[in-house]
Amino acid sequence: MRPLLLVLCCFASSMLWAQEPAIQIAEDSTNTQTPKKESPFNTGFFPISFFDVDLRYLVKYNNYEGLRLGVGGVTNEKLSDHFKFGGHFAYGFKDDDIKFSLGGSVRVRKESNTWINLYYIDDIREIGSFAYLTDARVYSVFEPRLVNVTQFYKHRTWQTNVQHEFTPRILSELRFGRSRIENIENYIFLNDGGIFRNYELSEVTASIRISPKRDFFTREDGLVEYFDGFPKISAQVTQGIKGITGSDFNYTKLGLKLDYYVKRTNLTSTNFLLEGDIAFGDTPLTHLFHAYPNSPTKDEILQRFSVAGRRSFETMYFGEFFSDRLATLQIKHSLRRFNISERFRPELVFITRHAWGDLNNPEQHLGIPFNTLEEFYSESGFELNKLLFGFGLSFAYRYGYYHLPDLEDNISFKFTFYLKL
């Protein structure tokens, strides 16, 4: 019970610093009117003179690091609008280790908001996670499932990237990176007769994000997005190059994501999230794909009671499936909020999620037991949100081909947190 209370306390604390943004801010070149300065809870940054503190680094919790405290941020235009310096520093109390990043950026073209960045990162990353570079350019709410993640690897990475806006509705990024991977899990990758526990990777990644209905206005310190319309289309390609700076593997990774939202006049809404990922070549398990599982590997329902994620499969166990080809579909249908009283207006959301995947040569990956997703994975359920101070409840049920023999192993019962200031 004490670990659960610690998770709840840490999560509640972190959410005070990472609320769902009402509007989002990105730098832009045009100077027009200067509206009222936005709350740091909406932008994710708290300005202190010439330095913007990134509120998302302050307090975190996961099963490997335990409680993680840190500080991070980046300089702002009060120091210079031509260059900036940033990074983060964090300490995990459970693994007793320090993580950090440090780097700088130079603006080379103001009209297109083009920046060249160089950073060094010494941190951990979740096995099987796949992040679109351009998604990080738009501030997003803290991802609650990070509290439950159990499988990580260490990486020491040098990376340089170019960020460019073709228009305010089309963001792009090109990144060159070199990483030294150290596995925390007991994982071994067999490739071309070699045995790899740790390895070197050199990658080139190109990413683009298109938001054709994004509306915004400009001010002296940037572009203020007051309506981030749908659909949103993200695409990304990564090429691992063997032999460059000692890199061990050749591989290619492709990702495509469509996020579409329908809002109706009767105050109901439906959100569709469709994503497809594929990897070719000699790709280690750390850099393959999972479907964002969010079920702790515990036997009883109440032992698995934790926080529900925003895009995760709530009944899928951590480390249960990995794929080099993966397609997921998530549909959320929100009813009009119940107007019980002025302060008590809960929201009922019906959710269904589906995944299909496959993996070539699973025998190359040793030490971590897992399954593949050749059949269709399905779960459905509902959330009853905003019951008290932004907290709610989540229920999901796993059915179909991957239904488990014990009934309670197919059931997810968690709490949710949605708060918009």
Side-chain angles (χ1 to χ4, degrees), residues 325-379:
R325 285 156 288 170
L326 179 65
T328 60
L329 172 64
Q330 303 186 38
I331 303 174
K332 292 185 177 183
H333 180 71
S334 303
L335 300 182
R336 181 174 181 170
R337 293 180 67 175
F338 301 104
N339 194 16
I340 297 175
S341 69
E342 183 178 350
R343 294 189 175 182
F344 186 56
R345 301 176 62 229
E347 177 186 50
L348 181 61
V349 182
F350 295 101
I351 301 174
T352 184
R353 301 182 178 96
H354 307 278
W356 175 85
D358 202 355
L359 178 63
N360 287 323
N361 305 316
E363 67 278 0
Q364 289 185 287
H365 309 283
L366 303 179
I368 297 180
F370 64 91
N371 298 318
T372 52
L373 277 169
E374 292 93 344
E375 307 296 335
F376 205 57
Y377 186 100
S378 297
E379 72 174 29

Side-chain angles (χ1 to χ4, degrees), residues 9 20 55 108 196-197 253 303 310:
C9 292
E20 183 178 356
L55 301 179
V108 295
F196 297 88
R197 174 170 176 81
K253 296 169 61 177
Q303 289 179 326
R310 301 299 171 91

